[in-house]
Amino acid sequence: MTNRIAELRKAHGLSQAELADAVDVTRQTIISLEGGRYNASLLLAHRIARYFGLTIEEVFLFEEETV
Amino acid sequence: MKKLLLSALAALAGLALFVFVILSGEEVPRSVNGLCSGLGGALLGIGGAGLLMPLLMRSMSPEDRKEIERGETDERNIYIRSMAAQDSWYWTLVLLWVPFVAALIQGELLWMILAPALIVLHCAFYMFHMYRWSKKL
């Protein structure tokens, strides 16, 4: 799963700390999410999407894994 | 405030036990001395940490303090803690076989019994918590 968090954050002129503050997580969590090392829970995905005024699907890009 | 008071009481009790050990010298059995030292150290550690943490937090900037407070409930931190606990469970389980095999080679009956008992307990705790969490979730 990839996401557009870094792109949206920069477009809104936010720092990682400000976004972390807004969605009530640590800055390290935002760094990990942007780096694709950690996948957000449904609750956090919802909070992030709602913060940017988008749907979860518009922020988080689900890719079917091909076997 | 209540937490600070409890921490201070624990630290004082720990100090009192240490003073008792130092003053009693050889007058009390070694087992009592050992028990008092161990308990004193634990109480001093728990109480001391309880007293030092608020002081440490007070010396931080409001942003750093907020970050630390948030870190307690941060979902990534919770995930890290549960993954670390899971991995350490497997490591301990594997490592428990070392004293067992060593005891078999050395012919140490106590460790031959103790090591597998610990392995069984370790797995039993895992099963118990699996059951507990399956009921919770």
Side-chain angles (χ1 to χ4, degrees):
Chain A
M1 188 169 71
T2 55
N3 66 68
R4 296 172 53 218
I5 296 173
E7 174 200 330
L8 291 164
R9 178 178 61 76
K10 284 170 192 165
H12 282 73
L14 292 165
S15 67
Q16 288 172 326
E18 285 168 330
L19 178 61
D21 214 29
V23 295
D24 201 27
V25 291
T26 59
R27 194 173 73 89
Q28 196 56 51
T29 297
I30 299 297
I31 294 169
S32 292
L33 284 168
E34 288 185 358
R37 291 186 302 277
Y38 175 67
N39 286 329
S41 69
L42 187 58
L43 191 70
L44 179 57
H46 183 258
R47 277 210 301 267
I48 292 170
R50 195 175 54 181
Y51 180 76
F52 289 121
L54 299 167
T55 62
I56 290 177
E57 289 88 344
E58 285 170 316
V59 181
F60 295 90
L61 314 167
F62 299 91
E63 286 153 9
E64 284 286 336
E65 276 185 33
T66 49
V67 183
Chain B
M1 193 63 197
K2 193 181 167 187
K3 203 177 170 189
L4 273 179
L5 192 71
L6 278 174
S7 299
L9 280 174
L12 277 175
L15 271 177
L17 282 171
F18 270 131
V19 170
F20 169 75
V21 168
I22 292 163
L23 293 179
S24 62
E26 300 291 313
E27 286 169 29
V28 289
R30 285 178 71 184
S31 57
V32 176
N33 260 352
L35 189 67
C36 288
S37 301
L39 199 62
L43 283 171
L44 201 59
I46 294 166
L51 289 174
L52 281 177
M53 276 311 281
L55 286 176
L56 198 71
M57 292 284 272
R58 214 172 291 168
S59 69
M60 289 174 180
S61 68
E63 292 80 26
D64 287 343
R65 210 179 306 154
K66 205 171 177 184
E67 186 80 351
I68 286 180
E69 282 167 1
R70 189 174 285 151
E72 287 298 310
T73 52
D74 179 75
E75 68 168 50
R76 179 176 162 273
N77 284 353
I78 292 169
Y79 181 68
I80 289 170
R81 284 200 286 267
S82 55
M83 290 308 286
Q86 188 182 314
D87 285 351
S88 76
W89 186 87
Y90 282 111
W91 280 36
T92 313
L93 183 64
V94 170
L95 283 178
L96 277 172
W97 285 93
V98 175
F100 181 56
V101 173
L104 286 178
I105 295 165
Q106 297 283 317
E108 296 265 358
L109 187 65
L110 178 69
W111 286 100
M112 266 189 230
I113 297 165
L114 207 60
L118 280 174
I119 293 170
V120 169
L121 266 182
H122 198 63
C123 293
F125 291 154
Y126 186 59
M127 300 289 179
F128 168 72
H129 289 295
M130 290 258 282
Y131 170 77
R132 198 168 67 89
W133 278 101
S134 71
K135 288 280 167 196
K136 261 189 182 182
L137 298 176

